[in-house]
């Protein structure tokens, strides 16, 4: 009856999002009066998890699992869920986890809800809050099946530190044949991805052209932030499509979202609204973004952003 | 090659979202419905396969008769036939089950869905169909080429992309990149006239349960007023982000 959570890793290192996932799952297990089991795949050192109240870890090590495959991974997690007799499975909102979740749901005949933002408000019927209409609304939803899969939104819950000791079990699983071959993988190296970032610096059409993006990139570098952009900016080819955020682009649920030269169209706001703190820098005091932001600066980006960057650098130097 | 495009009928992106009936039901008063944007990218890519590789393109929707104008629009864009399974879509599983049952007696080489619909944002229908129908599945798909019975695809991954290869039959969850914004088609008069003659089949639903249920909706709490900071006092912004918002 335990709660099972699968945490992702990158080249053997646990992803930062895992700590939030584990914290949430721990609270869920408490609410259900059961224990949490954490599943890792190809992670050598799981010590970091002890800080977040994990007491039981199942480790799978198999080099065939170095490359993600949604079918094979969902089948592995289903095997583990059966082994641990888990009725509640918690996964992240990474692209890989969202890819895998529906396949896992079929394997386990489970109900799956994505974009969950809270612990269940009721256990019977199992009722939980998720976002819908691309962050324009919330929905209280029930999962009616015995086995339940919860896809937790990033930065919805936060990580809770709670030092424990953990025991781990190594588990052998059987693997399905690979039907989809990965021919190549291309990662933007040295850059933090929008999904992993605590801070995102975003530029819009107000920046006038791709040649001006250095002010966005410099600010992002100072803050250790990812960069993103509005839709027309990627449509015009100023920035790659992978940076397009909003209703038809990537969702952003970060701690701090800084919008520079972005007007704040409803489709843009829908995608970034679940970010905790929003800052807008725009020279038009009437720009709709000012109605959606926590902090705003009315000013010319080309003047404000480099000065802000210099001051932030000084601030960082002082506070590190 | 036979292609089936799954079409979700959703509120236009500029819609104000409201609920009625004690917040239990989406209020479609004054809301304009459109083809789900992710599905429209897929449909447009399907038209390319029709024109360049002689594919036939059918579209399918699980919904009430309210969705028919949206289906007619897909026919006007160039789809050959529309199928509507006459049922209120209760949850993603229910929709996937309907389409999967349809697939068990109708053969397609490629099924194109959107990576998610912009109303319920479940992001699960294509994957559930893949699981139920036991066919290959690639989501967040930003490019697809078909050669004979094999596909080369590009998938967006966190922080990059990967190139994949697999056999048909295949279902994809599509998004922008499959085609560009500028490739999207607005139906012309001739297309609209032709659409009237094209078949729109209405099927009774297959029996299915559902696994989740949307019980009640609410809108986010109204925001506090924005705090404006003078461009001459950017230290204040840093101070607020550090001490008040605690995000630095
Ligand atoms: C179906 C559909 C889906 C869409 N999906 C998305 C989506 O997912 N994401 C998205 O972003 N958009 C989306 N859009 C587009 C959206 O409606 C807006 O057109 C877009 O967000 C505007 O981008 P922008 O803010 O960069 O540009 P603009 O609206 O042109 O705004 C530029 C802003 O920059 C400011 N500015 C100009 N010069 C300066 C300066 N020197 N310093 C500071 N500020 C300056 C201006 O005051 C203005 O507010 C969608 C539209 C549709 C119809």
């Amino acid at each position: 009856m335990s709660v099972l959570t699968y945490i992702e890793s990158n080249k053997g290192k646990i992803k930062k999002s895992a700590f939030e996932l584990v914290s949430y799952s721990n609270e869920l297990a408490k609410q259900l009066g059961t224990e949490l089991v954490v599943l890792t795949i190809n992670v050598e050192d799981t010590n970091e998890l002890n800080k977040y109240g994990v007491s039981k870890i199942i480790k799978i090590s198999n080099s065939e699992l170095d490359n993600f495959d949604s079918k094979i991974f969902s089948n592995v997690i289903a095997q583990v869920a059966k082994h641990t007799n888990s009725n509640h499975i918690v996964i992240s909102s990474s692209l890989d986890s969202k890819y895998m979740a529906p396949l896992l749901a079929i394997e386990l005949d489970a109900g799956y809800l994505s974009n969950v933002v809270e612990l269940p408000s009721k256990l019977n019927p199992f009722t939980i809050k998720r976002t819908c209409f691309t962050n324009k609304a919330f929905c209280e939803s029930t999962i009616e099946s015995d086995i339940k899969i919860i896809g937790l939104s990033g930065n919805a819950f936060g990580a809770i530190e709670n030092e424990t000791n953990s025991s781990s079990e190594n588990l052998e699983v059987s693997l399905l044949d690979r039907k989809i071959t990965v021919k190549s993988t291309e990662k933007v190296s040295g850059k933090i991805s929008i999904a992993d970032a605590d801070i995102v610096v975003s530029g819009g059409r107000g920046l006038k052209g791709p040649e001006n993006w250095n002010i966005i990139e410099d600010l992002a570098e100072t803050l250790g932030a990812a960069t993103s952009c509005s839709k027309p900016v990627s449509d015009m080819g100023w920035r790659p499509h992978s940076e397009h955020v909003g209703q038809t682009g990537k969702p952003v649920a970060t701690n701090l979202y800084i919008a520079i030269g972005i007007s704040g169209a409803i489709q843009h706001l829908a995608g970034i609204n679940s970010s905790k703190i929003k800052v807008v820098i725009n020279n038009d005091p009437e720009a709709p973004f000012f109605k959606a932001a926590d902090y705003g600066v009315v000013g010319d980006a080309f003047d404000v952003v480099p000065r802000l960057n210099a001051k932030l650098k000084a601030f960082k130097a002082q506070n590190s | 090659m036979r292609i089936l495009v799954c079409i979700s009928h959703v509120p236009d992106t500029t819609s104000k979202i409201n609920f009625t009936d004690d917040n239990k039901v989406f209020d479609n008063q004054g809301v304009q419905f459109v083809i789900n944007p992710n599905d429209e990218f897929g449909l447009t890519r399907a038209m390319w396969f029709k024109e360049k590789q002689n594919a036939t393109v059918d579209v399918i929707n699980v919904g009430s008769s309210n969705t028919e104008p949206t289906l007619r629009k897909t026919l006007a864009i160039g789809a050959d036939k529309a199928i509507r399974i006459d049922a209120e879509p209760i949850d993603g599983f229910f929709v996937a089950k309907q389409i999967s049952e349809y697939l068990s007696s109708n053969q397609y080489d490629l099924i194109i869905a959107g990576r998610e619909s912009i109303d319920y944002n479940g992001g699960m229908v294509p994957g559930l169909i893949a699981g139920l129908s036991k066919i290959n599945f690639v989501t967040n798909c930003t490019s697809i080429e078909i050669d004979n019975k094999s596909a080369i695809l590009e998938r967006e991954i966190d922080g990059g992309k990967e190139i994949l290869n697999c056999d048909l039959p295949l279902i994809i969850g599509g998004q922008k990149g499959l085609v560009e914004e500028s490739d999207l088609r607005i139906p012309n008069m001739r297309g609209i006239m032709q659409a009237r003659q094209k078949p729109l089949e209405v099927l009774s639903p297959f029996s299915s349960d559902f696994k989740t249920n949307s019980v009640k909706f609410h809108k986010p709490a109204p925001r506090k007023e924005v705090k404006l900071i003078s461009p001459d006092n950017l230290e204040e912004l840093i101070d607020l982000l550090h001490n008040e918002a605690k995000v630095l």
Side-chain angles (χ1 to χ4, degrees), chain B residues 68-140:
Chain B
E68 288 195 1
T70 298
L71 288 176
R72 286 280 171 216
K73 184 173 173 204
T74 66
L75 295 172
I77 288 171
D80 299 300
K81 179 173 99 175
I83 299 114
R84 178 170 70 81
I85 299 183
D86 187 24
E88 280 300 332
I90 306 168
D91 74 338
F93 180 82
F94 179 88
V95 171
K97 180 82 178 171
Q98 300 302 316
I99 295 174
S100 169
E101 288 286 347
Y102 174 80
L103 288 173
S104 64
S105 50
N106 295 275
Q107 297 266 315
Y108 289 90
D109 305 289
L110 173 65
I111 299 123
I112 302 180
R115 71 153 195 230
E116 73 172 29
S117 63
I118 62 167
D119 51 2
Y120 290 87
N121 310 112
M124 64 181 84
V125 168
L128 293 173
I129 296 173
L132 288 167
S133 294
K134 302 199 166 38
I135 50 179
N136 287 333
F137 169 48
V138 174
T139 198
N140 292 103

Side-chain angles (χ1 to χ4, degrees), chain A residues 203-208 229-233 235 244-250 257 260-269 271 281-289 297 299-303, chain B residues 12-14 34 37 40 118 181:
Chain A
R205 195 145 58 178
L207 285 158
K208 311 241 170 6
C229 68
S230 68
K231 177 166 170 287
V233 165
D235 285 345
H244 161 198
V245 298
Q247 187 156 18
T248 52
K250 273 201 181 67
Y257 182 78
I260 301 167
I262 298 178
S263 58
I266 188 165
Q267 299 94 349
H268 185 87
L269 295 177
I281 300 171
N282 194 308
N283 62 4
D284 173 11
E286 301 295 320
F289 215 122
V297 179
D300 184 343
F302 299 106
D303 163 51
Chain B
D12 168 44
T13 56
T14 54
V34 297
E40 194 175 355
I118 62 167
E181 189 80 21

Side-chain angles (χ1 to χ4, degrees), chain B residues 221-237:
Chain B
R223 298 197 59 82
K224 312 191 297 270
E225 280 274 297
V226 61
K227 262 193 198 166
L228 288 181
I229 293 108
S230 152
D232 301 322
N233 194 8
L234 296 172
E235 287 85 2
E236 188 191 344
L237 177 61

